[in-house]
Amino acid sequence: MVPLLLVLLLALLLFGLGFAAKVLWWVAMFVLAVWLIGFVARGTSAAGGRGRWYRW
């Protein structure tokens, strides 16, 4: 009985890790897309020079 519970727990853990990894990939792709759009579409600043769309 205990080995069966351990196997089920391991399967549940691996399924959860796989789901989390898939979600993290989607988040990473979204952040990359936003960064690329901001990099390409950055405009000029209010002072007239080339501005940065991000603040460090």
Side-chain angles (χ1 to χ4, degrees):
M1 184 71 177
V2 173
L4 179 62
L5 287 175
L6 288 175
V7 168
L8 289 175
L9 183 64
L10 181 63
L12 184 63
L13 181 69
L14 291 176
F15 175 76
L17 288 176
F19 180 75
K22 191 169 188 170
V23 169
L24 287 176
W25 272 110
W26 281 108
V27 170
M29 286 190 284
F30 175 75
V31 170
L32 178 64
V34 169
W35 180 79
L36 285 173
I37 290 169
F39 183 76
V40 170
R42 69 179 175 215
T44 60
S45 67
R50 280 186 68 100
R52 290 184 298 186
W53 67 276
Y54 57 88
R55 301 272 297 182
W56 287 103

